[in-house]
Amino acid sequence: MSDILVVRDIEKTFGAVVAARDISVVVPVHQTVGIIGANGAGKTTFVNMITGHLTPSKGSIHFENKDITGLPSRDIVRLGISRSFQVAQVFPTMTVLENMRIASAIANSRDSILDRLFRPIDAPGAVVEADAALDLFQIARYRHAKAVTLPQGVRKLLDIAMAVAGSPRLLLLDEPTSGISIEEKFGLMEVVMSALKTRRITVLFVEHDMEIVGRFADRVLAFYDGTVIADAPPKAVLADPKVQTLISGTQRAHVGQADA
Amino acid sequence: MTMPARSSLLGALAFIAVAAVAPWMPPWLVSLATIAFANALVVLGLIILWRTGLVPFGQALFYAIGAYAVALIGRYTSVRDVFVVILAGAIFAGIAAYLVGFLLARYREIFFAMLSLAMSMILYGILVKTETLGSTDGFHVEAGTFFGYRPQGVWLNLSIYWLVLGFSAVMAWLVSLYFRSVAGSLSNPIRDNEIRVEFLGISVDRLIHLKLVVSGILAGIGGALAALAVQHVDPAMAYWTTSGGFVFVTILAGAGSVGAAFVGSLVFELVRSIAIDLVPGEWQMILGTVLLLTILFLPEGLGSLYGRLRRRKDAAS
């Protein structure tokens, strides 16, 4: 199995504050990696550096053997890395279908102003793709609802569906279940993960719920104070005493449930 | 018939109708409609930016460049063909929009509006101070020829009117195509959420730059046509009240449809000339009242009336 993402010694400092340091991670294709850690541990900073939202102060990031360190996010998206957001980023005044059609139409256009000037938004290919994506993420019945009126879970699914429109090979999900009720979390993750499996996408997801991490991740990165303190399969990481005291301490009940 | 096809057909019929009745229209109405439709092209450009959430308070910059380009070609060269001089006006305005776009495309909201205003006032200042450009009085624009043909008397006004209508029809069609393209469809998304647009792999700044150039070209064509129609240019064409007028018409017309720009511009010119006729001293008051009533009762402009009508018809059938 080849490696899709190679992160070497990246560091991010904001003035005197070190948000991330000494992070080295190698992700093979088709792996699903869970990222855990307390608030402020550097999880989102890590995601932001890979997706070009932040430029690392030091170190390098390679995607499919290409150096993508410091590229603007729109170029990184074009190369095949997409992301969803902790707070779903959709177009609130537009319907679910319009949101999805925009995403599909952009994915189908070439990266040139001229191509986008002469390509109609309702080209048949993009329309079919948009419908298929809504079906895949099971939100087709909301197609004519304005995004602003959607329940939180549906909006999250739309956000992820739009991120997947460009057929990325690597997808980063920043807290896909935040703001979702406990009863709905598992259902949402089932939909997302099975959709991503059918598209054969490598996934990195940030998650606070240890039970979900244990259920869906092949491997877990535990962040603490800006660096990775554990990197192993979920069982091993969740059983790590350092992880238990520093991260999952307050959530031990959940770990117990996951083990049971 | 699909909706775009129905709108295009309706628009084409409307243009043919207003072109056909011209010889029977009173001359003052021909002149008024000529200016109204020339200005409507500028408004089309404003609508493009408006949908993106941007309001340019200085669109007169490109309008004046288009007009002065035509006037200067008439003064310093022997080129008189209207199509050539209008093309030149469009190109100069487009280049100006491309250049100021490097700065403007990085700003949003009130900063965009004021920076655009500042740019237009710089041009106004230059025009006022430049003696060779006629200073505050401006100067005369040579009458144009149509492929060598030089219309006289009443036919000159009618020819210009038809010329303006022709450009209006073509531009309205092109802009409606643009709105259905991927680039044109991204207006609402940009207004809604720039982060999502960037993370779909699009540079928002570059897209806004493109919209600026398109709207600048439209304003340049509008200015060039206005210069040919009035046969005079002066710095007032770059002044902020001219820009304000375009914003006024955009509010009156609404950004919902292409056709509304033409109806809105015509209504604006009619109301203005009637108001000036009725109360020469206080005509701005009437215009202000119209604006107030529009914002209160037709917040989405005259264009929304057509949509309301059609919805009522669809509901009835």
Side-chain angles (χ1 to χ4, degrees), chain A residues 8-90:
Chain A
R8 269 195 222 102
D9 289 322
I10 54 170
E11 184 178 299
K12 182 70 196 176
T13 52
F14 298 99
V17 181
V18 181
R21 62 192 158 86
D22 305 328
I23 302 174
S24 294
V25 176
V26 175
V27 180
V29 282
H30 305 322
Q31 196 170 50
T32 300
V33 181
I35 298 174
I36 62 171
N39 290 328
K43 307 181 299 291
T44 299
T45 305
F46 177 67
V47 169
N48 283 342
M49 282 192 286
I50 293 173
T51 55
H53 202 57
L54 292 173
T55 303
S57 317
K58 227 174 69 186
S60 71
I61 303 167
H62 284 76
F63 171 67
E64 295 179 337
N65 299 322
K66 270 189 294 283
D67 189 354
I68 59 162
T69 322
L71 287 183
S73 38
R74 55 175 180 274
D75 293 347
I76 290 180
V77 170
R78 289 264 146 204
L79 285 172
I81 302 182
S82 197
R83 73 170 290 182
S84 76
F85 295 82
Q86 194 173 343
V87 177
Q89 298 292 332
V90 295

Side-chain angles (χ1 to χ4, degrees), chain A residues 51 53 73-74 77-78 83 85 89-94 102-103 106 113 116-117 119-121 159 162, chain B residues 178 180-186 188-189 191-193 195-203 206-207 210:
Chain A
T51 55
H53 202 57
S73 38
R74 55 175 180 274
V77 170
R78 289 264 146 204
R83 73 170 290 182
F85 295 82
Q89 298 292 332
V90 295
F91 305 125
T93 68
M94 302 170 76
I102 292 283
I106 293 175
I113 288 282
R116 295 199 179 113
L117 264 178
R119 187 182 292 272
I121 187 75
D159 183 31
M162 288 169 79
Chain B
Y178 168 78
R180 270 177 273 147
S181 73
V182 173
S185 305
L186 285 171
N188 200 28
R191 198 180 55 196
D192 264 13
N193 191 342
I195 293 178
R196 175 38 89 198
V197 177
E198 285 276 340
F199 274 94
L200 287 172
I202 299 264
S203 163
R206 237 178 278 166
L207 211 56
L210 169 75

Side-chain angles (χ1 to χ4, degrees), chain B residues 198-219:
Chain B
E198 285 276 340
F199 274 94
L200 287 172
I202 299 264
S203 163
V204 172
D205 286 0
R206 237 178 278 166
L207 211 56
I208 288 179
H209 201 160
L210 169 75
K211 288 171 192 295
L212 271 167
V213 173
V214 172
S215 78
I217 290 172
L218 284 166

Side-chain angles (χ1 to χ4, degrees), chain A residues 168-246:
Chain A
R169 266 97 63 208
L170 174 64
L171 179 67
L172 293 94
L173 306 172
D174 193 359
E175 302 202 21
T177 67
S178 77
I180 310 284
S181 70
I182 296 184
E183 306 88 70
E184 286 174 297
K185 278 186 179 181
F186 267 89
L188 179 127
M189 284 303 281
E190 284 291 352
V191 172
V192 171
M193 288 305 177
S194 69
L196 298 180
K197 276 269 158 14
T198 53
R199 296 277 173 101
R200 303 181 62 74
I201 297 171
T202 309
V203 183
L204 267 69
F205 71 101
V206 176
E207 182 56 64
H208 281 292
D209 190 321
M210 297 302 154
E211 211 177 330
I212 287 181
V213 173
R215 165 83 180 70
F216 293 101
D218 303 327
R219 169 187 175 190
V220 175
L221 300 176
F223 275 72
Y224 180 76
D225 195 21
T227 195
V228 177
I229 57 167
D231 176 1
K235 270 232 164 72
V237 170
L238 298 183
D240 187 322
K242 220 161 62 173
V243 171
Q244 286 188 348
T245 35
L246 294 175

Side-chain angles (χ1 to χ4, degrees), chain B residues 102-302:
Chain B
F102 284 104
L103 187 65
L104 275 180
R106 286 157 47 193
Y107 293 86
R108 306 286 183 271
E109 297 169 3
I110 191 68
F111 308 101
F112 176 89
M114 297 317 279
L115 204 55
S116 135
L117 175 67
M119 296 286 179
S120 72
M121 290 311 284
I122 290 172
L123 179 69
Y124 174 77
I126 293 171
L127 292 177
V128 164
K129 293 283 174 220
T130 311
E131 289 297 333
T132 49
L133 293 179
S135 189
T136 47
D137 293 334
F139 62 97
H140 175 73
V141 177
E142 299 290 329
T145 61
F146 296 72
F147 303 116
Y149 167 67
R150 187 183 296 273
Q152 301 291 335
V154 64
W155 288 107
L156 178 61
N157 285 344
L158 281 176
S159 307
I160 296 284
Y161 174 70
W162 283 321
L163 178 73
V164 170
L165 271 184
F167 268 96
S168 298
V170 172
M171 290 302 145
W173 180 64
L174 288 178
V175 170
S176 68
L177 281 186
Y178 168 78
F179 281 144
R180 270 177 273 147
S181 73
V182 173
S185 305
L186 285 171
S187 296
N188 200 28
I190 290 175
R191 198 180 55 196
D192 264 13
N193 191 342
E194 286 194 19
I195 293 178
R196 175 38 89 198
V197 177
E198 285 276 340
F199 274 94
L200 287 172
I202 299 264
S203 163
V204 172
D205 286 0
R206 237 178 278 166
L207 211 56
I208 288 179
H209 201 160
L210 169 75
K211 288 171 192 295
L212 271 167
V213 173
V214 172
S215 78
I217 290 172
L218 284 166
I221 295 174
L225 288 167
L228 286 170
V230 184
Q231 294 192 22
H232 185 82
V233 292
D234 62 52
M237 294 184 104
Y239 199 52
W240 67 268
T241 51
T242 306
S243 298
F246 297 136
V247 175
F248 186 126
V249 177
T250 310
I251 294 172
L252 184 65
S257 76
V258 168
F262 297 92
V263 178
S265 191
L266 192 62
V267 170
F268 175 76
E269 289 298 334
L270 279 172
V271 170
R272 181 157 71 176
S273 61
I274 291 170
I276 291 175
D277 235 30
L278 288 178
V279 274
E282 265 85 27
W283 60 274
Q284 289 96 335
M285 221 170 65
I286 292 185
L287 226 49
T289 312
V290 170
L291 183 62
L292 191 67
L293 291 175
T294 310
I295 291 172
L296 284 177
F297 297 108
L298 264 182
E300 283 171 62
L302 290 170

